[in-house]
Amino acid sequence: MADKPAILIVDDEPSVLAAVARDLRARYGDRFRILRAESGAEALDAVRRLRLRNAPLALLIVDQRMPGMTGIEFLTEAIQVYPDVKRVLLTAYADTEAAIRAINDVQIDHYLLKPWDPPDERLYPVVDEVLDDWMANWSPPFEGVRLIGHRWSVETFQLKDFLARNLVPYRWLDVETNPEAQELASQARLDLTRLPVVILPDGTALEQPSQQQLAARIGLPVQAALPFYDLIIVGGGPAGLAAAVYGASEGLRILLIERHAPGGQAGTSSRIENYLGFPAGLSGSDLARRAVAQARRFGAEILNAEVTGIRLEGQYRIVQTASGGEISCHALLIAAGVSYRRLEAPGVERLHGKGVYYGGALSEAMAAKGEEVFIVGGGNSAGQAAVHFARFARCVTLLVRGDSLPKSGMSQYLVDRIAEIPNIQVWFHTTVIEALGETRLTALRIADAKTGQERTVPADDLFVFIGAKPFTDWMDGLVALDDAGFVLTGPDLARARNGAARWPLKRQPYLLETNVPGVFAAGDIRHQSIKRIASATGEGAMAVHFVHRYLSSL
């Protein structure tokens, strides 16, 4: 019933309150929620709770003579919360002067004299009229999560990005510029020093929640359903999702653990146009959504959690999570992907989340309307971001260290697309040497490597795409890595930087198997992998084949 508009009746006489509620429920109960309150203070509290839930309030039917707070006094307060609500005053014959005053003071739509029997003649025609008028101008409210915070806040940005990448509908309310944010903060009596605040559809306010706390409250799975699985996949990018689909479709008990959101770096891509089978292209979020639905359809379980370590116990591989839990499996696939390398320049780290972002940060696209956007990098991810942000920004500038986009690794279709968009410009031989601004990014100092010339340019947003750093810190030396930190598998194990990480069995390791039997790696995290979505999905599918071979040997 939460989606039905409400009618609130306020009267301190229980018999009158019950009679009005009975008559209204009989006529309007299928279309409206009928709520009751026995005092102005109780009713005002109910109005504020409705507002926090973003629930529609169509009509107030209020008795004028109530102790503590008169009907007019209540309406004066209530219309500050719901300015468009319809208002009907209940009065006795002797109070008609008060009713006329209410028309002038709080713009009531009608007044009813008590008693109103029969309702078909004296109640319903009045209520029908005001409700028809309200419905004619009503638009259903947004019913999802609302996020209140400052645009130039790291914590707010992280929650926006988390919700967007997990495909959770949300509405962003900037506390500095949005009157609704300020009103909600007042109604919920929020401490504005503890932003960001997430308001859930039921009206519950979460102050400065962590991503794991928010995940639990919005219904994302944060606890594994089983203590043991055939295969646990760490990482929900294309490789991990492909392995989940193929493994689950072949009858394996699969658990995929993703610390942020399914899709990985590919999930941040605004448009992927060179993926086989999608001639019109698709967004990274669409690809992730389809893959998640496919994996779940086959029975794979997807968990929102952070893996902090692995330990071995005989033939079992045990995954440890940040919550302190442990989950066991026969085989483990590491598909945790990579993160963008940090830009080493003064001011960049200080302004991270305050105008400086790593990756696409598609949640910031609309906010960049009319702004000066800079993108560091020359690969496909940088090109896709430039095309996307050009739809909103006044100007998008690509800062490229090399002398051409193809030499920087960008596909020709993106090079051609960028050349066609008038508000994208490319500056070659260019590096960022400093990010400027106090509470947010305001300018960049850049250098031309060819001429040595330095200059300062105004900047509102900086998005960084400068290479990959493998997410392998949590492995704690158990799995063999190359000198750059990528996972070694199969014949490449001879390159291990850790001499003690030797293959322990007589048989040769499978192609995607690490130095630990039964632990596999696929996708961007693997040594010398091809950094393309199609190759990642192929490796994820191929890893399942080797997992079957490993399981059959147990």
Side-chain angles (χ1 to χ4, degrees):
M1 293 186 64
D3 58 342
K4 292 182 181 180
I7 298 174
L8 176 59
I9 314 147
V10 191
D11 200 306
D12 64 319
E13 295 184 44
S15 60
V16 174
L17 189 63
V20 178
R22 178 200 63 218
D23 290 342
L24 292 177
R25 191 169 288 112
R27 175 92 166 195
Y28 307 104
D30 60 331
R31 294 175 291 143
F32 294 87
R33 302 173 63 202
I34 311 301
L35 306 178
R36 302 187 292 181
E38 294 186 357
S39 69
E42 180 186 340
L44 199 55
D45 185 56
V47 166
R48 287 170 175 155
R49 289 199 307 271
L50 287 170
R51 187 69 185 87
L52 279 178
R53 298 208 313 265
N54 211 27
L57 179 60
L59 174 61
L60 296 169
I61 300 179
V62 185
D63 183 35
Q64 167 58 14
R65 290 193 179 188
M66 294 186 294
M69 182 183 291
T70 67
I72 294 176
E73 290 171 339
F74 163 74
L75 288 171
T76 301
E77 295 288 333
I79 61 177
Q80 301 301 314
V81 183
Y82 279 93
D84 299 325
V85 69
K86 294 298 179 181
R87 309 140 206 175
V88 172
L89 197 66
L90 292 176
T91 67
Y93 182 78
D95 290 331
T96 52
E97 184 177 335
I100 294 171
R101 189 169 71 253
I103 294 173
N104 295 325
D105 294 346
V106 292
Q107 290 80 51
I108 64 168
D109 298 281
H110 215 290
Y111 67 90
L112 290 171
L113 295 177
K114 297 190 289 187
W116 60 85
D117 285 336
D120 285 334
E121 296 179 12
R122 298 189 179 182
L123 177 65
Y124 296 151
V126 171
V127 176
D128 282 345
E129 181 181 340
V130 294
L131 287 179
D132 286 347
D133 189 35
W134 183 84
M135 290 291 291
N137 297 286
W138 174 63
S139 297
F142 175 74
E143 295 181 353
V145 171
R146 285 165 291 169
L147 174 61
I148 301 174
H150 300 279
R151 181 186 174 190
W152 309 113
S153 157
V154 178
E155 296 78 13
T156 298
F157 160 70
Q158 290 172 341
L159 290 183
K160 287 167 66 178
D161 191 51
F162 175 78
L163 290 168
R165 292 186 60 190
N166 279 283
L167 306 179
V168 177
Y170 78 97
R171 188 173 176 205
W172 153 239
L173 303 172
D174 190 335
V175 73
E176 295 179 350
T177 60
N178 192 307
E180 184 180 351
Q182 297 161 6
E183 178 196 344
L184 284 171
S186 174
Q187 297 298 333
R189 298 177 175 85
L190 299 177
D191 181 355
L192 294 183
T193 65
R194 291 184 54 79
L195 295 177
V197 170
V198 174
I199 299 182
L200 303 176
D202 65 0
T204 302
L206 306 177
E207 294 183 339
Q208 296 181 328
S210 68
Q211 291 184 14
Q212 288 298 302
Q213 290 170 332
L214 181 56
R217 294 303 299 270
I218 61 179
L220 297 178
V222 295
Q223 295 290 334
L226 302 173
F228 181 84
Y229 295 84
D230 297 317
L231 172 63
I232 290 179
I233 303 164
V234 180
L241 287 169
V245 169
Y246 282 94
S249 70
E250 294 169 7
L252 296 179
R253 289 173 296 176
I254 300 286
L255 174 67
L256 185 150
I257 306 176
E258 167 56 46
R259 64 187 175 124
H260 191 58
Q265 280 195 13
T268 68
S269 296
S270 56
R271 203 74 186 162
I272 304 165
E273 298 185 63
N274 60 348
Y275 189 60
L276 183 66
F278 294 89
L282 78 168
S283 69
S285 61
D286 281 342
L287 180 62
R289 174 182 55 80
R290 292 166 185 253
V292 166
Q294 195 172 15
R296 284 179 171 152
R297 173 173 167 256
F298 287 123
E301 184 182 338
I302 298 177
L303 182 67
N304 187 277
E306 181 176 358
V307 174
T308 56
I310 315 169
R311 68 182 181 87
L312 309 178
E313 194 172 292
Q315 65 181 10
Y316 303 112
R317 283 78 188 97
I318 299 170
V319 170
Q320 301 163 322
T321 64
S323 64
E326 292 190 335
I327 314 165
S328 302
C329 60
H330 274 314
L332 175 68
L333 174 62
I334 300 169
V338 296
S339 58
Y340 288 108
R341 293 191 182 278
R342 313 304 272 189
L343 179 61
E344 300 294 336
V348 169
E349 201 60 33
R350 178 174 56 83
L351 294 172
H352 180 219
K354 303 175 183 180
V356 176
Y357 309 97
Y358 289 89
L362 300 184
S363 59
E364 299 302 302
M366 289 295 291
K369 186 174 182 179
E371 295 184 345
E372 294 281 348
V373 172
F374 287 79
I375 296 173
V376 178
N380 277 357
S381 295
Q384 289 163 353
V387 171
H388 180 66
F389 279 98
R391 297 166 51 197
F392 307 97
R394 190 183 74 80
C395 180
V396 176
T397 303
L398 272 168
L399 305 179
V400 183
R401 296 181 65 179
D403 57 7
S404 79
L405 291 175
K407 288 182 181 178
S408 299
M410 189 177 294
S411 297
Q412 190 61 44
Y413 83 92
L414 274 173
V415 176
D416 296 339
R417 180 71 55 82
I418 286 170
E420 295 170 355
I421 299 175
N423 63 330
I424 296 180
Q425 55 186 351
V426 184
W427 295 350
F428 294 109
H429 311 291
T430 304
T431 57
V432 173
I433 57 176
E434 187 176 7
L436 305 174
E438 293 300 322
T439 59
R440 52 159 294 190
L441 178 70
T442 57
L444 295 171
R445 282 186 60 227
I446 59 175
D448 187 316
K450 204 169 186 179
T451 65
Q453 182 182 2
E454 296 182 4
R455 57 179 169 141
T456 300
V457 293
D460 297 297
D461 306 278
L462 175 67
F463 297 89
V464 181
F465 303 83
I466 56 170
K469 177 184 178 182
F471 179 56
T472 53
D473 295 343
W474 55 278
M475 297 177 192
D476 197 26
L478 183 66
V479 174
L481 309 175
D482 67 11
D483 291 337
F486 290 88
V487 177
L488 292 165
T489 60
D492 290 321
L493 285 172
R495 300 172 179 268
R497 66 184 184 190
N498 180 358
R502 300 183 186 279
W503 177 249
L505 302 182
K506 290 183 179 180
R507 71 166 174 85
Q508 290 299 304
Y510 299 123
L511 183 62
L512 299 181
E513 197 168 20
T514 70
N515 61 298
V516 180
V519 177
F520 301 83
D524 289 357
I525 201 170
R526 199 175 64 81
H527 170 73
Q528 289 192 341
S529 64
I530 300 171
K531 304 300 188 285
R532 287 290 186 268
I533 295 173
S535 63
T537 56
E539 287 192 9
M542 187 166 55
V544 173
H545 168 72
F546 295 123
V547 167
H548 278 297
R549 293 179 64 180
Y550 170 76
L551 293 177
S552 66
S553 68
L554 295 179

